[in-house]
């Protein structure tokens, strides 16, 4: 790295990035009992990649999270969400009828829990992937953010 | 004066302060010409909005506003600034009158409409007495999920959320189709680095 006058920024960002990632997963998997959910978690997860790109450069970020991975993740998220609906149909229920996932009688909640967790995972993938793709598309237009631009 | 009343009063004072801050920032954003300052100020605007949402107990909305409004859209707009100029063109004085009239009219309509709004936390308001109350009553027996927001979002309104997810996906797809995947920048940087390595 030829210009290292952002040293403090880099060191602090290195400490913060894992914490932000853990927070994203906390929001994701705690969504059933507290505020926030997959949409927010997806944004927070995307923000970690964006923060990494802003501080360590776009090329480094694209090496860590390649553009093909980001767009694939977005498509996979929609597939997972739609797939849960198809799974319910295969089990004899209606589209996205979580109660039918394990053919439970009314009062059983395993299908609801599994369905909600899977669907939220799909939303997480779709939102995080789409946001990172949008950022790459915008930031990729400028070869390098010069220091005097800030 | 009981401590509960004191708490209520201080909460409403904080609310008024936050709303005043929003007003001042709105005027500042409208008058500024420097795009960088405008983007940063609108990020702060979203953050203050989020604080106000949390003050009126809309935690999920506040969280979303902080993540999307203050975080994501600020970054996207900063990226957009790099593609255009740093300051907005000054417009003619007469040309400002049209948008100003629209703003005043919309503001007057909104203020007129607030007279009909129910009080914060009013149990008899349509949002709390109608379908919302039904969800609160049947949610636990139906789904066993403690957070009603989650069960409404993912279970009762699963179809709507599927639509939202597809909308987010299509939005990303549209931006990528218009602007490219950003891989050209990566290739350019890598080529430049390779050239630097070859010529010491």
């Amino acid at each position: 790295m030829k210009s290292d006058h952002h040293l403090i920024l880099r060191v602090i960002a290195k400490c913060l990035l894992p914490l932000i990632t853990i927070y994203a997963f906390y929001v994701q998997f705690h969504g059933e009992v507290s505020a926030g959910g997959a949409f927010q978690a997806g944004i927070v997860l995307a923000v970690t990649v964006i923060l990494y790109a802003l501080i360590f450069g776009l090329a480094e970020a694209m090496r860590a999270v390649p553009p093909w991975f980001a767009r694939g993740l977005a498509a996979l998220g929609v597939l997972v969400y739609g797939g849960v609906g198809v799974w319910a149909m295969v089990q004899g229920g209606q589209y996205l009828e979580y109660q039918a996932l394990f053919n439970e009688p009314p009062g059983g909640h395993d299908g609801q829990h599994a369905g909600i967790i899977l669907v939220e995972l799909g939303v997480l993938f779709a939102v995080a992937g789409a946001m990172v793709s949008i950022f790459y598309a915008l930031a990729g237009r400028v070869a390098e953010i010069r220091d005097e631009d800030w | 004066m009981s401590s509960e009343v004191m708490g209520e009063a201080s909460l409403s004072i904080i609310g008024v302060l936050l709303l005043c801050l929003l007003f001042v920032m709105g005027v500042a954003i409208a008058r500024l010409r420097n795009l960088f300052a405008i983007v940063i100020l609108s990020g702060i605007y979203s953050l203050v909005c989020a604080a106000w949402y949390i003050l009126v107990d809309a935690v999920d909305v506040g969280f979303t506003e902080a993540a999307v409004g203050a975080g994501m859209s600020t970054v996207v707009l900063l990226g957009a600034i790099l593609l255009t100029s740093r300051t907005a063109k000054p417009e003619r004085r007469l040309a400002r009158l049209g948008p100003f009239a629209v703003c005043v009219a919309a503001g007057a309509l909104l203020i007129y409409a607030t007279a009909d709004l129910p009080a914060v936390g009013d149990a008899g308001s349509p949002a709390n007495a109608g379908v919302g109350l039904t969800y609160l009553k049947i949610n636990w027996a139906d789904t066993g999920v403690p957070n009603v927001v989650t069960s409404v979002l993912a279970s009762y309104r699963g179809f709507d959320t599927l639509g939202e997810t597809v909308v987010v996906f299509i939005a990303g797809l549209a931006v990528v189709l218009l602007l490219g995947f950003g891989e050209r920048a990566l290739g350019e940087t890598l080529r430049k680095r390779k050239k630097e390595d070859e010529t010491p």
Side-chain angles (χ1 to χ4, degrees), chain A residues 72-82 118-119 121-127, chain B residues 165:
Chain A
L73 196 69
L76 180 74
V78 177
L79 265 182
V80 167
Y81 202 133
L118 280 175
V119 154
L121 215 58
V123 175
L124 172 84
F125 290 167
V127 171
Chain B
T165 312

Side-chain angles (χ1 to χ4, degrees), chain B residues 85-166:
Chain B
S85 72
R86 301 292 183 271
T87 49
K89 265 189 215 150
E91 66 276 271
R92 282 171 289 118
R93 277 189 174 279
L94 269 179
R96 289 181 197 173
L97 283 178
F100 181 71
V102 171
C103 284
V104 168
L109 274 177
L110 286 175
I111 289 171
Y112 173 70
T114 47
D116 283 343
L117 283 181
V120 177
D122 179 9
S125 71
N128 288 333
V131 70
L133 188 65
T134 313
Y135 280 137
L136 285 175
K137 276 180 181 162
I138 64 174
N139 166 62
W140 185 251
D142 262 6
T143 65
V145 172
N147 186 357
V148 186
V149 177
T150 301
S151 71
V152 169
L153 180 108
S155 188
Y156 291 114
R157 303 281 170 93
F159 240 74
D160 288 6
T161 311
L162 175 65
E164 279 173 43
T165 312
V166 174

Side-chain angles (χ1 to χ4, degrees), chain A residues 13 54 56 69 71 74:
Chain A
L54 286 177
F56 296 94
F69 180 77
R71 60 187 188 249

